[in-house]
Amino acid sequence: EVHLLESGGGLEQPGGSLRLSCTASGFTFSNYAMGWVRQAPGKGLEWVSAISGSGGTTYYADSVKGRFTISRDNSENTLYLQMNSLRAEDTAIYYCAKAPLEVRFYYFDYWGQGTLVTVSS
Amino acid sequence: EVVLTQSPGTLSLSPGERATLSCRASQSVSSTYLTWYQQKPGQAPRLLIYGASSRATGIPDRFSGSGSGTDFTLTISRLEPEDFAVYYCQQYGSSSLTFGGGTKVEIK
């Protein structure tokens, strides 16, 4: 059974940094692209970033490009999102999600339960 | 960037009724790249339909997807109590994903 568990969320001041982690189990982690999707309180879904199975290719939404970095450790079955220069508008639940293919992320077939990031002074 | 517009914003129906949800794209989207998700309060999104019309594993056959080009539809043939939720469409293109604003299906 596929299981994705996010951690690392919390309260951070504007301009600060946080690193989110997502530990995966139940599938061969390196065979699949992974991504992050966020949801601001009471709002819809927004794609943030994705990474290929090997980790060699990364993709970002314009809203986070240059501030966030996605990475993965296939030996530890863990996905990361390093978030720098945080802004109030980054406040959201961040979901880790698995894609059905190694390189392309046409959609996400499994999702974690999310971790809440709050950016406020 | 492709913008997805979902309508209506809220659909008020009774159990047993048919629900028809619309997702309109600002430019043509390949059917391969059109996906639907269901989200219940306090839960993560759940994959329903991929490739515009293929049901994900474990999804009941009362859920169906159709459409092409710029107009896509999610149909729930007979609403069950557990189907009252928010539904999002999503498209992939130019190495990015965009989501529609969602349609809430509520109990009338």
Side-chain angles (χ1 to χ4, degrees):
Chain A
E1 180 186 359
V2 173
H3 190 60
L4 301 171
L5 182 64
E6 302 94 338
S7 61
L11 175 64
E12 184 55 65
Q13 294 186 343
S17 298
L18 278 175
R19 187 174 85 154
L20 305 184
S21 300
C22 171
T23 302
S25 60
F27 63 101
T28 304
F29 185 66
S30 60
N31 285 357
Y32 297 94
M34 298 289 294
W36 293 94
V37 176
R38 67 185 181 184
Q39 186 169 36
K43 302 297 184 182
L45 301 171
E46 179 188 15
W47 171 72
V48 173
S49 184
I51 187 169
S52 61
S54 68
T57 308
T58 57
Y59 310 87
Y60 298 95
D62 288 343
S63 59
V64 306
K65 200 172 293 182
R67 301 187 299 123
F68 290 10
T69 302
I70 191 171
S71 62
R72 62 192 298 161
D73 183 339
N74 286 345
S75 68
E76 296 290 334
N77 290 352
T78 303
L79 176 72
Y80 300 102
L81 185 68
Q82 177 67 44
M83 304 187 295
N84 298 332
S85 302
L86 283 164
R87 305 167 179 167
E89 54 265 36
D90 295 320
T91 294
I93 296 172
Y94 284 73
Y95 294 103
C96 162
K98 171 190 168 294
L101 300 172
E102 183 176 359
V103 177
R104 300 296 180 91
F105 52 103
Y106 301 158
Y107 57 89
F108 294 118
D109 52 2
Y110 292 93
W111 297 61
Q113 283 304 301
T115 187
L116 177 63
V117 171
T118 303
V119 183
S120 174
S121 55
Chain B
E1 175 184 289
V2 175
V3 176
L4 299 178
T5 301
Q6 292 189 241
S7 61
T10 302
L11 197 51
S12 299
L13 296 168
S14 300
E17 290 194 293
R18 180 184 188 90
T20 303
L21 287 65
S22 173
C23 176
R24 181 160 292 176
S26 60
Q27 56 189 277
S28 185
V29 173
S30 168
S31 296
T32 301
Y33 302 150
L34 196 287
T35 304
W36 291 92
Y37 301 92
Q38 176 194 67
Q39 187 178 34
K40 297 179 182 179
Q43 296 186 17
R46 172 195 183 195
L47 175 66
L48 285 180
I49 301 286
Y50 63 94
S53 60
S54 298
R55 276 187 301 277
T57 303
I59 301 304
D61 60 8
R62 64 180 180 272
F63 290 92
S64 63
S66 62
S68 63
T70 59
D71 290 295
F72 297 89
T73 300
L74 175 69
T75 301
I76 311 171
S77 59
R78 294 171 310 280
L79 282 164
E80 297 287 341
E82 61 268 28
D83 299 337
F84 292 91
V86 179
Y87 294 84
Y88 294 95
C89 59
Q90 171 243 292
Q91 71 84 35
Y92 168 86
S94 301
S95 299
S96 68
L97 299 179
T98 54
F99 290 89
T103 290
K104 181 180 182 180
V105 179
E106 65 175 23
I107 300 177
K108 186 174 181 180

